[in-house]
Amino acid sequence: MNRVLFYIITFTFVTLSILPFLWFVDTSLKSPLEITAIPPVLIPSGTLSSYSSAVKEYNLLHFIRNSFIVASSTTAVTLLISIIAGYSLSRLRIKYKGIIMGSLLIVSMFPQISIAGPVWKIMLHLGWLNSYQGLILPYVTLTLPLGVWVMASFFRELPRELEEASRVDGCSHIQTLFKIMVPLAAPGVFTAAILVFIYAWNEFFFALLVMTQQTFQTLPVGIALFQGQYTLPWGEIAAASTVATVPLVVIVFIFQKKIVRGLSAGAVK
Amino acid sequence: MQLSLQARERLFGYTLLTPCLLFVIIFAFYPILYSFYLSLHKIILSLPQLGQPFSGLDNYSALFQDRIALHSLRNTLIFVFFTTVFEILLGLVIALIINRQFRGRGLVRAAVLIPWAVPTVVASQMWRFIFNDKYGLANFLLFGSDTSAYSAWLANPVTAFAAIMIADVWKTSSFAGLLILAGLQVIPEDLYEAAQIDGASRWQQFRRITLPLVKPAILIALLFRTMDAFRVFDLVFVMTQGGPADATNVLQFYGYKKIFAEGLMGYGSTISVLVFFISLLISIIYIRVIGTGLFKE
């Protein structure tokens, strides 16, 4: 009895989690007539016309390219900085650790609007509105708390002896860090990379402010601003949404263990 | 100059922290102070010839008489309350499910993680489509093919607000679940074994062992969800643009509109400052309740 109930609840949660999105994927494979049909068409004709129209008329490939550049650069920069900062905060004897970790936590939590105007002004001043660095720099800042917390939690679990042995062997601090510690904390680096990449890939608010020209806009901005002449181009929106989401779904299915570990380790989004 | 070993280690430690701190100071702390500075000035982006005259607290007195701002504050608080309550409850159930050993657990775990991975803008468009007045799935599931009964969910103040909350709960319950799961995993198994030997029922075990021990994790999830719900933006931007008639307007969206759509950089910054202080207050209260353990390393 208990068992049956458990499976029913589990089934319900799984269904509710995936069904709405599957419906959108389904929509992306329909013809315009099928999209507006009542009752709804369950099995689509499988046309890829929404995809080709999203590419041709809505510059989908452009958005993908921008998103990829911004998200991967953010990931690279954030990780490098997070590795050295996380190492310092978890393994070295320094003061004010609590305050630094706490301020990072605050940065990860305060609403973006509280810094939006000034960040926009800084970028305007530097001439970096509508440039990749104009978005990458704020993203690095916003993902650093996550990166540092995850890296610190992974470094903390490594045994002290390794570091000491390496130091005794005459390695400098920096050699010890990159030759001994980083390879050992590789799962942590990888976990942080996934989380940071997903964050940067999905972020919308700053992308909307910084990228006002279509040539530089990222996928979320593109998808949010899709506009038809008379009606909303639902097929194209669904197609672009599918393209934006499927890579992440694949990542989740392959790396769900790492993601769960990373999110709960840092406990920071 | 000869530094002691510890002094050298400390120096090295701070050097490693420098890039991180520079980023945070330049793009987070300085902008907050700058927002406060801007809020004390009259700045209209479309009228640069006005300059930036100092206006004292004028913007703030205007803010407290701005009915839409107060309405947005109210909406934000309602949104935060309802979404966090549902997300924590559903998150607890999700955590209990994926903490159990059963076949296919990996797949279930990945499946419930999907909403978390879906970009919020995508989730917003998806739910906007589901709640579409003419051919949305919500209408069909409720009314079948009887199109005369179809409702324009996003054009009605109450249902539009509910739709946004449903979308948020769908998107983030699993994140709350993961944080709670972390708390469940540290509960030692022998506690349950001992309880079983003593003849405690499953419900008693849940009440007396699981709940008290998972409470810290629930509080942390509550903290993160509250702060995140407080800055809701994407859903509102895509699904309703704050409408109908500001029924779904929230602080972050209102601030965005004032600063960037209307170009009222000075006035809009009061909203930035207000939002910052409210969220600081909320996080201080939570951290007090959770205890300072979070900051001790």
Side-chain angles (χ1 to χ4, degrees), chain B residues 41-229:
Chain B
H41 294 75
K42 189 178 166 126
I43 305 162
I44 300 170
L45 291 176
S46 54
L47 300 171
Q49 66 273 22
L50 269 185
Q52 299 196 1
F54 180 75
S55 63
L57 295 174
D58 285 2
N59 286 331
Y60 286 93
S61 55
L63 179 69
F64 292 112
Q65 280 158 26
D66 182 343
R67 284 185 43 208
I68 302 177
L70 298 177
H71 188 68
S72 304
L73 172 63
R74 210 191 105 216
N75 282 347
T76 309
L77 296 177
I78 295 173
F79 179 84
V80 168
F81 178 78
F82 282 107
T83 55
T84 43
V85 166
F86 278 106
E87 282 156 16
I88 294 299
L89 287 178
L90 295 176
L92 185 60
V93 178
I94 290 175
L96 289 169
I97 289 176
I98 52 185
N99 193 36
R100 264 175 74 151
Q101 297 286 350
F102 61 95
R103 264 213 292 174
R105 181 171 77 153
L107 280 179
V108 168
R109 202 146 71 159
V112 295
L113 264 180
I114 284 177
W116 168 80
V118 170
T120 315
V121 166
V122 169
S124 314
Q125 290 285 27
M126 185 188 92
W127 283 101
R128 188 182 176 205
F129 183 60
I130 289 174
F131 286 114
N132 184 286
D133 55 341
K134 293 199 193 69
Y135 33 82
L137 200 56
N139 271 326
F140 180 75
L141 291 178
L142 287 171
F143 307 114
S145 296
D146 177 17
T147 48
S148 60
Y150 280 19
S151 170
W153 305 102
L154 298 177
N156 170 302
V158 176
T159 52
F161 206 174
I164 291 177
M165 291 201 270
I166 289 172
D168 193 70
V169 170
W170 178 81
K171 169 94 180 80
T172 48
S173 291
S174 55
F175 174 73
L178 289 186
L179 295 186
I180 297 173
L181 175 69
L184 282 181
Q185 283 172 335
V186 296
I187 302 178
E189 199 51 47
D190 30 333
L191 280 181
Y192 293 105
E193 279 159 26
Q196 225 154 22
I197 292 167
D198 290 346
S201 71
R202 284 224 151 222
W203 174 245
Q204 282 172 322
Q205 290 176 29
F206 177 73
R207 278 284 312 274
R208 300 297 167 100
I209 301 174
T210 312
L211 265 191
L213 288 177
V214 86
K215 204 177 115 197
I218 290 181
L219 280 170
I220 289 177
L222 206 58
L223 166 70
F224 279 100
R225 284 313 312 147
T226 307
M227 303 312 289
D228 204 43

Side-chain angles (χ1 to χ4, degrees), chain B residues 245-257:
Chain B
D246 292 307
T248 58
N249 211 340
V250 287
L251 282 175
Q252 176 135 317
F253 184 72
Y254 189 59
Y256 161 81
K257 254 173 82 174

Side-chain angles (χ1 to χ4, degrees), chain A residues 5-23:
Chain A
L5 189 69
F6 171 76
Y7 281 113
I8 292 174
I9 294 174
T10 307
F11 180 76
T12 312
F13 270 84
V14 169
T15 312
L16 288 177
S17 296
I18 58 178
L19 220 54
F21 182 65
L22 281 183
W23 179 245

Side-chain angles (χ1 to χ4, degrees), chain A residues 32 47-61 226 233 235-237 239-240:
Chain A
T47 167
L48 292 176
S49 63
S50 294
Y51 287 86
S52 65
S53 155
V55 168
K56 278 186 209 125
E57 284 162 50
Y58 294 91
N59 292 319
L60 178 60
L61 296 180
F226 263 31
E236 285 84 349
I237 293 175

Side-chain angles (χ1 to χ4, degrees), chain A residues 145-156:
Chain A
L146 174 72
V148 173
W149 274 73
V150 171
M151 285 320 303
S153 90
F154 272 86
F155 279 133
R156 209 169 289 134

Side-chain angles (χ1 to χ4, degrees), chain A residues 16 88 93 102 114 121 223 267, chain B residues 9 13 35 52 125 170 224 295:
Chain A
L16 288 177
S88 173
R93 287 166 293 175
S114 52
K121 277 198 114 179
I223 292 171
Chain B
E9 183 171 326
S35 278
Q52 299 196 1
Q125 290 285 27
W170 178 81
F224 279 100
F295 295 99

